[in-house]
Each structure stands twice: as C-alpha cells, then as structure tokens.
mmCIF file of all heavy atoms in Angstrom:
data_model
loop_
_atom_site.group_PDB
_atom_site.id
_atom_site.type_symbol
_atom_site.label_atom_id
_atom_site.label_comp_id
_atom_site.label_asym_id
_atom_site.label_seq_id
_atom_site.Cartn_x
_atom_site.Cartn_y
_atom_site.Cartn_z
ATOM 1 N N PHE A 1 -2.237 -69.253 -35.943
ATOM 2 C CA PHE A 1 -3.066 -68.281 -36.291
ATOM 3 C C PHE A 1 -3.604 -67.414 -35.109
ATOM 4 O O PHE A 1 -3.593 -66.286 -35.107
ATOM 5 C CB PHE A 1 -4.357 -68.813 -37.041
ATOM 6 C CG PHE A 1 -4.079 -68.998 -38.547
ATOM 7 C CD1 PHE A 1 -3.619 -70.140 -38.966
ATOM 8 C CD2 PHE A 1 -4.252 -67.894 -39.451
ATOM 9 C CE1 PHE A 1 -3.376 -70.313 -40.326
ATOM 10 C CE2 PHE A 1 -4.016 -68.030 -40.752
ATOM 11 C CZ PHE A 1 -3.542 -69.292 -41.275
ATOM 12 N N SER A 2 -3.966 -68.118 -34.030
ATOM 13 C CA SER A 2 -4.486 -67.374 -32.822
ATOM 14 C C SER A 2 -3.191 -66.550 -32.241
ATOM 15 O O SER A 2 -3.519 -65.424 -31.814
ATOM 16 C CB SER A 2 -5.003 -68.414 -31.757
ATOM 17 O OG SER A 2 -3.929 -69.313 -31.383
ATOM 18 N N THR A 3 -1.988 -67.163 -32.240
ATOM 19 C CA THR A 3 -0.804 -66.458 -31.688
ATOM 20 C C THR A 3 -0.594 -65.129 -32.530
ATOM 21 O O THR A 3 -0.331 -64.061 -31.997
ATOM 22 C CB THR A 3 0.348 -67.296 -31.579
ATOM 23 O OG1 THR A 3 0.072 -68.382 -30.762
ATOM 24 C CG2 THR A 3 1.416 -66.613 -31.014
ATOM 25 N N ALA A 4 -0.625 -65.386 -33.812
ATOM 26 C CA ALA A 4 -0.231 -64.281 -34.794
ATOM 27 C C ALA A 4 -1.313 -63.213 -34.746
ATOM 28 O O ALA A 4 -0.941 -62.064 -34.720
ATOM 29 C CB ALA A 4 -0.120 -64.783 -36.267
ATOM 30 N N ILE A 5 -2.573 -63.586 -34.714
ATOM 31 C CA ILE A 5 -3.651 -62.507 -34.653
ATOM 32 C C ILE A 5 -3.645 -61.757 -33.433
ATOM 33 O O ILE A 5 -3.662 -60.523 -33.336
ATOM 34 C CB ILE A 5 -5.020 -63.298 -34.933
ATOM 35 C CG1 ILE A 5 -5.017 -63.736 -36.383
ATOM 36 C CG2 ILE A 5 -6.184 -62.290 -34.659
ATOM 37 C CD1 ILE A 5 -6.376 -64.547 -36.641
ATOM 38 N N VAL A 6 -3.468 -62.440 -32.241
ATOM 39 C CA VAL A 6 -3.379 -61.800 -30.966
ATOM 40 C C VAL A 6 -2.208 -60.798 -30.872
ATOM 41 O O VAL A 6 -2.457 -59.634 -30.495
ATOM 42 C CB VAL A 6 -3.427 -62.840 -29.868
ATOM 43 C CG1 VAL A 6 -3.054 -62.040 -28.508
ATOM 44 C CG2 VAL A 6 -4.662 -63.560 -29.748
ATOM 45 N N GLU A 7 -1.060 -61.266 -31.356
ATOM 46 C CA GLU A 7 0.098 -60.428 -31.245
ATOM 47 C C GLU A 7 -0.060 -59.227 -31.990
ATOM 48 O O GLU A 7 0.416 -58.099 -31.714
ATOM 49 C CB GLU A 7 1.344 -61.194 -31.569
ATOM 50 C CG GLU A 7 1.745 -62.316 -30.593
ATOM 51 C CD GLU A 7 2.982 -63.057 -31.104
ATOM 52 O OE1 GLU A 7 3.426 -62.859 -32.240
ATOM 53 O OE2 GLU A 7 3.511 -63.808 -30.164
ATOM 54 N N GLU A 8 -0.630 -59.367 -33.249
ATOM 55 C CA GLU A 8 -0.682 -58.117 -34.278
ATOM 56 C C GLU A 8 -1.942 -57.365 -33.938
ATOM 57 O O GLU A 8 -1.867 -56.179 -34.112
ATOM 58 C CB GLU A 8 -0.711 -58.764 -35.585
ATOM 59 C CG GLU A 8 0.521 -59.601 -35.986
ATOM 60 C CD GLU A 8 1.748 -58.710 -36.245
ATOM 61 O OE1 GLU A 8 1.672 -57.469 -36.205
ATOM 62 O OE2 GLU A 8 2.841 -59.262 -36.436
ATOM 63 N N VAL A 9 -3.030 -57.887 -33.667
ATOM 64 C CA VAL A 9 -4.308 -57.205 -33.697
ATOM 65 C C VAL A 9 -4.587 -56.585 -32.173
ATOM 66 O O VAL A 9 -5.354 -55.581 -32.041
ATOM 67 C CB VAL A 9 -5.512 -58.087 -34.087
ATOM 68 C CG1 VAL A 9 -6.732 -57.320 -33.915
ATOM 69 C CG2 VAL A 9 -5.171 -58.483 -35.500
ATOM 70 N N GLU A 10 -4.051 -57.185 -31.211
ATOM 71 C CA GLU A 10 -4.407 -56.856 -29.810
ATOM 72 C C GLU A 10 -4.080 -55.421 -29.555
ATOM 73 O O GLU A 10 -4.902 -54.691 -28.959
ATOM 74 C CB GLU A 10 -3.658 -57.739 -28.808
ATOM 75 C CG GLU A 10 -4.061 -57.561 -27.326
ATOM 76 C CD GLU A 10 -3.369 -58.420 -26.451
ATOM 77 O OE1 GLU A 10 -2.154 -58.738 -26.602
ATOM 78 O OE2 GLU A 10 -3.984 -58.960 -25.477
ATOM 79 N N PRO A 11 -2.911 -54.921 -29.956
ATOM 80 C CA PRO A 11 -2.565 -53.376 -29.807
ATOM 81 C C PRO A 11 -3.570 -52.522 -30.415
ATOM 82 O O PRO A 11 -3.933 -51.450 -29.863
ATOM 83 C CB PRO A 11 -1.235 -53.356 -30.336
ATOM 84 C CG PRO A 11 -0.618 -54.681 -30.313
ATOM 85 C CD PRO A 11 -1.761 -55.561 -30.627
ATOM 86 N N LEU A 12 -4.049 -52.881 -31.690
ATOM 87 C CA LEU A 12 -5.092 -52.184 -32.353
ATOM 88 C C LEU A 12 -6.430 -52.077 -31.497
ATOM 89 O O LEU A 12 -7.009 -51.038 -31.341
ATOM 90 C CB LEU A 12 -5.389 -52.642 -33.705
ATOM 91 C CG LEU A 12 -4.134 -52.371 -34.825
ATOM 92 C CD1 LEU A 12 -4.512 -53.105 -36.065
ATOM 93 C CD2 LEU A 12 -3.966 -50.896 -34.965
ATOM 94 N N LEU A 13 -6.803 -53.238 -30.993
ATOM 95 C CA LEU A 13 -8.027 -53.347 -30.265
ATOM 96 C C LEU A 13 -7.930 -52.635 -29.002
ATOM 97 O O LEU A 13 -8.867 -51.859 -28.676
ATOM 98 C CB LEU A 13 -8.441 -54.774 -29.994
ATOM 99 C CG LEU A 13 -8.791 -55.647 -31.176
ATOM 100 C CD1 LEU A 13 -8.871 -57.090 -30.655
ATOM 101 C CD2 LEU A 13 -9.949 -55.144 -31.900
ATOM 102 N N SER A 14 -6.808 -52.575 -28.377
ATOM 103 C CA SER A 14 -6.468 -51.823 -27.102
ATOM 104 C C SER A 14 -6.697 -50.340 -27.297
ATOM 105 O O SER A 14 -7.201 -49.562 -26.596
ATOM 106 C CB SER A 14 -5.017 -52.145 -26.578
ATOM 107 O OG SER A 14 -5.016 -53.406 -26.137
ATOM 108 N N ILE A 15 -6.142 -49.828 -28.502
ATOM 109 C CA ILE A 15 -6.210 -48.359 -28.877
ATOM 110 C C ILE A 15 -7.683 -48.008 -29.123
ATOM 111 O O ILE A 15 -8.163 -46.916 -28.720
ATOM 112 C CB ILE A 15 -5.240 -48.064 -29.996
ATOM 113 C CG1 ILE A 15 -3.849 -48.226 -29.607
ATOM 114 C CG2 ILE A 15 -5.505 -46.712 -30.446
ATOM 115 C CD1 ILE A 15 -2.850 -48.033 -30.746
ATOM 116 N N LEU A 16 -8.373 -48.856 -29.916
ATOM 117 C CA LEU A 16 -9.702 -48.634 -30.172
ATOM 118 C C LEU A 16 -10.548 -48.653 -28.958
ATOM 119 O O LEU A 16 -11.496 -47.752 -28.808
ATOM 120 C CB LEU A 16 -10.297 -49.685 -31.181
ATOM 121 C CG LEU A 16 -9.723 -49.517 -32.622
ATOM 122 C CD1 LEU A 16 -10.205 -50.879 -33.377
ATOM 123 C CD2 LEU A 16 -10.148 -48.267 -33.257
ATOM 124 N N ARG A 17 -10.208 -49.353 -28.010
ATOM 125 C CA ARG A 17 -10.947 -49.487 -26.732
ATOM 126 C C ARG A 17 -10.762 -48.200 -25.945
ATOM 127 O O ARG A 17 -11.596 -47.717 -25.262
ATOM 128 C CB ARG A 17 -10.514 -50.681 -25.950
ATOM 129 C CG ARG A 17 -11.402 -51.213 -24.868
ATOM 130 C CD ARG A 17 -11.117 -52.578 -24.167
ATOM 131 N NE ARG A 17 -11.288 -53.628 -25.150
ATOM 132 C CZ ARG A 17 -10.419 -54.380 -25.765
ATOM 133 N NH1 ARG A 17 -9.102 -54.181 -25.440
ATOM 134 N NH2 ARG A 17 -10.655 -55.467 -26.371
ATOM 135 N N GLU A 18 -9.518 -47.749 -25.884
ATOM 136 C CA GLU A 18 -9.102 -46.527 -25.127
ATOM 137 C C GLU A 18 -9.770 -45.404 -25.838
ATOM 138 O O GLU A 18 -10.108 -44.355 -25.099
ATOM 139 C CB GLU A 18 -7.525 -46.306 -25.187
ATOM 140 C CG GLU A 18 -6.801 -47.346 -24.323
ATOM 141 C CD GLU A 18 -5.335 -47.200 -24.575
ATOM 142 O OE1 GLU A 18 -4.887 -46.300 -25.246
ATOM 143 O OE2 GLU A 18 -4.632 -47.913 -23.855
ATOM 144 N N ARG A 19 -9.995 -45.361 -27.073
ATOM 145 C CA ARG A 19 -10.609 -44.274 -27.869
ATOM 146 C C ARG A 19 -12.082 -44.298 -27.710
ATOM 147 O O ARG A 19 -12.824 -43.391 -28.163
ATOM 148 C CB ARG A 19 -10.197 -44.259 -29.273
ATOM 149 C CG ARG A 19 -8.780 -43.966 -29.456
ATOM 150 C CD ARG A 19 -8.358 -43.527 -30.881
ATOM 151 N NE ARG A 19 -9.055 -44.219 -31.996
ATOM 152 C CZ ARG A 19 -8.559 -44.399 -33.109
ATOM 153 N NH1 ARG A 19 -7.188 -44.051 -33.366
ATOM 154 N NH2 ARG A 19 -9.113 -45.029 -34.167
ATOM 155 N N GLY A 20 -12.617 -45.444 -27.074
ATOM 156 C CA GLY A 20 -14.052 -45.500 -26.869
ATOM 157 C C GLY A 20 -14.761 -46.077 -28.159
ATOM 158 O O GLY A 20 -16.019 -45.865 -28.223
ATOM 159 N N GLU A 21 -14.142 -46.576 -29.068
ATOM 160 C CA GLU A 21 -14.754 -46.984 -30.423
ATOM 161 C C GLU A 21 -15.356 -48.495 -30.252
ATOM 162 O O GLU A 21 -16.139 -48.755 -31.132
ATOM 163 C CB GLU A 21 -13.732 -46.914 -31.502
ATOM 164 C CG GLU A 21 -13.418 -45.566 -31.956
ATOM 165 C CD GLU A 21 -12.723 -45.508 -33.303
ATOM 166 O OE1 GLU A 21 -13.333 -46.091 -34.207
ATOM 167 O OE2 GLU A 21 -11.661 -44.983 -33.486
ATOM 168 N N ILE A 22 -14.803 -49.283 -29.177
ATOM 169 C CA ILE A 22 -15.423 -50.575 -29.047
ATOM 170 C C ILE A 22 -15.813 -50.718 -27.591
ATOM 171 O O ILE A 22 -15.050 -50.038 -26.740
ATOM 172 C CB ILE A 22 -14.476 -51.681 -29.610
ATOM 173 C CG1 ILE A 22 -13.156 -51.599 -28.756
ATOM 174 C CG2 ILE A 22 -14.219 -51.525 -31.010
ATOM 175 C CD1 ILE A 22 -12.201 -52.868 -29.118
ATOM 176 N N CYS A 23 -16.630 -51.667 -27.330
ATOM 177 C CA CYS A 23 -16.954 -51.947 -26.014
ATOM 178 C C CYS A 23 -15.929 -52.795 -25.290
ATOM 179 O O CYS A 23 -14.953 -53.165 -25.893
ATOM 180 C CB CYS A 23 -18.338 -52.701 -25.909
ATOM 181 S SG CYS A 23 -18.297 -54.263 -26.834
ATOM 182 N N ASN A 24 -16.197 -53.133 -24.004
ATOM 183 C CA ASN A 24 -15.191 -53.818 -23.291
ATOM 184 C C ASN A 24 -15.299 -55.361 -23.539
ATOM 185 O O ASN A 24 -15.455 -56.145 -22.633
ATOM 186 C CB ASN A 24 -15.383 -53.510 -21.719
ATOM 187 C CG ASN A 24 -14.184 -54.117 -21.055
ATOM 188 O OD1 ASN A 24 -13.019 -54.127 -21.481
ATOM 189 N ND2 ASN A 24 -14.425 -54.482 -19.709
ATOM 190 N N ILE A 25 -15.144 -55.765 -24.851
ATOM 191 C CA ILE A 25 -15.240 -57.092 -25.194
ATOM 192 C C ILE A 25 -13.745 -57.707 -25.246
ATOM 193 O O ILE A 25 -12.823 -56.897 -25.563
ATOM 194 C CB ILE A 25 -15.889 -57.170 -26.710
ATOM 195 C CG1 ILE A 25 -16.045 -58.668 -27.079
ATOM 196 C CG2 ILE A 25 -15.087 -56.445 -27.648
ATOM 197 C CD1 ILE A 25 -16.878 -58.866 -28.318
ATOM 198 N N SER A 26 -13.653 -58.890 -24.997
ATOM 199 C CA SER A 26 -12.324 -59.514 -25.002
ATOM 200 C C SER A 26 -11.776 -59.630 -26.411
ATOM 201 O O SER A 26 -12.590 -59.679 -27.395
ATOM 202 C CB SER A 26 -12.376 -60.977 -24.338
ATOM 203 O OG SER A 26 -13.076 -61.840 -25.160
ATOM 204 N N ASP A 27 -10.366 -59.624 -26.571
ATOM 205 C CA ASP A 27 -9.839 -59.769 -27.880
ATOM 206 C C ASP A 27 -10.334 -60.995 -28.583
ATOM 207 O O ASP A 27 -10.536 -61.157 -29.718
ATOM 208 C CB ASP A 27 -8.316 -59.750 -27.779
ATOM 209 C CG ASP A 27 -7.870 -58.341 -27.245
ATOM 210 O OD1 ASP A 27 -8.618 -57.410 -27.495
ATOM 211 O OD2 ASP A 27 -6.702 -58.279 -26.712
ATOM 212 N N PHE A 28 -10.349 -62.173 -27.764
ATOM 213 C CA PHE A 28 -10.797 -63.371 -28.353
ATOM 214 C C PHE A 28 -12.179 -63.319 -28.842
ATOM 215 O O PHE A 28 -12.454 -63.900 -29.959
ATOM 216 C CB PHE A 28 -10.763 -64.539 -27.106
ATOM 217 C CG PHE A 28 -11.244 -65.858 -27.562
ATOM 218 C CD1 PHE A 28 -10.525 -66.706 -28.272
ATOM 219 C CD2 PHE A 28 -12.620 -66.187 -27.271
ATOM 220 C CE1 PHE A 28 -11.107 -67.993 -28.719
ATOM 221 C CE2 PHE A 28 -13.099 -67.397 -27.610
ATOM 222 C CZ PHE A 28 -12.290 -68.281 -28.368
ATOM 223 N N GLN A 29 -13.161 -62.761 -28.119
ATOM 224 C CA GLN A 29 -14.450 -62.634 -28.646
ATOM 225 C C GLN A 29 -14.638 -61.803 -29.839
ATOM 226 O O GLN A 29 -15.387 -62.028 -30.778
ATOM 227 C CB GLN A 29 -15.431 -62.090 -27.487
ATOM 228 C CG GLN A 29 -15.692 -63.028 -26.412
ATOM 229 C CD GLN A 29 -16.344 -64.371 -26.779
ATOM 230 O OE1 GLN A 29 -17.118 -64.399 -27.810
ATOM 231 N NE2 GLN A 29 -16.101 -65.508 -26.132
ATOM 232 N N ALA A 30 -13.751 -60.633 -29.858
ATOM 233 C CA ALA A 30 -13.831 -59.807 -30.961
ATOM 234 C C ALA A 30 -13.297 -60.468 -32.274
ATOM 235 O O ALA A 30 -13.879 -60.434 -33.354
ATOM 236 C CB ALA A 30 -12.960 -58.576 -30.773
ATOM 237 N N ILE A 31 -12.158 -61.240 -32.054
ATOM 238 C CA ILE A 31 -11.678 -61.956 -33.333
ATOM 239 C C ILE A 31 -12.578 -63.151 -33.664
ATOM 240 O O ILE A 31 -12.748 -63.255 -34.911
ATOM 241 C CB ILE A 31 -10.253 -62.540 -32.865
ATOM 242 C CG1 ILE A 31 -9.172 -61.459 -32.712
ATOM 243 C CG2 ILE A 31 -9.781 -63.503 -33.957
ATOM 244 C CD1 ILE A 31 -7.988 -61.814 -32.095
ATOM 245 N N LYS A 32 -13.162 -63.794 -32.748
ATOM 246 C CA LYS A 32 -14.051 -64.765 -33.107
ATOM 247 C C LYS A 32 -15.357 -64.372 -33.761
ATOM 248 O O LYS A 32 -15.700 -64.923 -34.834
ATOM 249 C CB LYS A 32 -14.706 -65.381 -31.665
ATOM 250 C CG LYS A 32 -15.568 -66.632 -31.885
ATOM 251 C CD LYS A 32 -16.060 -67.237 -30.589
ATOM 252 C CE LYS A 32 -17.052 -68.359 -30.750
ATOM 253 N NZ LYS A 32 -17.513 -68.898 -29.514
ATOM 254 N N LEU A 33 -15.861 -63.086 -33.495
ATOM 255 C CA LEU A 33 -16.992 -62.429 -34.198
ATOM 256 C C LEU A 33 -16.571 -62.050 -35.557
ATOM 257 O O LEU A 33 -17.388 -62.330 -36.461
ATOM 258 C CB LEU A 33 -17.442 -61.158 -33.379
ATOM 259 C CG LEU A 33 -18.454 -60.291 -33.948
ATOM 260 C CD1 LEU A 33 -19.756 -61.089 -34.134
ATOM 261 C CD2 LEU A 33 -18.688 -59.085 -33.114
ATOM 262 N N ILE A 34 -15.456 -61.525 -35.730
ATOM 263 C CA ILE A 34 -15.031 -61.147 -37.112
ATOM 264 C C ILE A 34 -14.833 -62.397 -37.894
ATOM 265 O O ILE A 34 -15.175 -62.446 -39.159
ATOM 266 C CB ILE A 34 -13.663 -60.265 -36.986
ATOM 267 C CG1 ILE A 34 -13.962 -59.108 -36.226
ATOM 268 C CG2 ILE A 34 -13.111 -60.106 -38.401
ATOM 269 C CD1 ILE A 34 -12.699 -58.268 -35.945
ATOM 270 N N SER A 35 -14.214 -63.363 -37.478
ATOM 271 C CA SER A 35 -13.818 -64.651 -38.141
ATOM 272 C C SER A 35 -15.135 -65.247 -38.535
ATOM 273 O O SER A 35 -15.278 -65.803 -39.692
ATOM 274 C CB SER A 35 -12.956 -65.537 -37.312
ATOM 275 O OG SER A 35 -11.745 -64.900 -36.995
ATOM 276 N N SER A 36 -16.019 -65.442 -37.650
ATOM 277 C CA SER A 36 -17.317 -66.070 -37.898
ATOM 278 C C SER A 36 -18.178 -65.375 -38.993
ATOM 279 O O SER A 36 -18.904 -65.884 -39.903
ATOM 280 C CB SER A 36 -18.216 -66.304 -36.701
ATOM 281 O OG SER A 36 -18.578 -65.001 -36.093
ATOM 282 N N THR A 37 -18.010 -63.993 -39.018
ATOM 283 C CA THR A 37 -18.757 -63.224 -40.033
ATOM 284 C C THR A 37 -18.159 -63.359 -41.340
ATOM 285 O O THR A 37 -18.872 -63.571 -42.434
ATOM 286 C CB THR A 37 -18.567 -61.661 -39.701
ATOM 287 O OG1 THR A 37 -19.209 -61.449 -38.418
ATOM 288 C CG2 THR A 37 -19.344 -60.812 -40.705
#
C-alpha cells in the first residue's frame, strides 16, 4: 500500500506543492494525515 500510494499520489502532491496549494509537508506525513482522518 505504501509503495502504490507513493507512486501514484506523489506526482499529484508535487504539482499541488508547486501550485502553492499545500505547504512543504512530506508525502509520508500528508498520506498519514489523510489515512488517519
């Protein structure tokens, strides 16, 4: 699950980060936050 999520979601998070929509949080922490919610 961690491999699949990172491979698929990381590019989206990078684009959102470049567009300034999210802070400089690591992908791991972002996925952990979403999962725990």
Side-chain angles (χ1 to χ4, degrees):
F1 276 90
S2 61
T3 300
I5 290 174
V6 169
E7 289 179 352
E8 299 287 352
V9 177
E10 189 176 43
L12 287 173
L13 293 175
S14 296
I15 292 174
L16 290 173
R17 199 173 286 114
E18 290 174 3
R19 293 195 323 209
E21 289 198 51
I22 63 175
C23 61
N24 192 29
I25 186 174
S26 69
D27 295 336
F28 173 79
Q29 290 298 329
I31 293 171
K32 182 179 179 181
L33 174 62
I34 295 171
S35 300
S36 61
T37 299

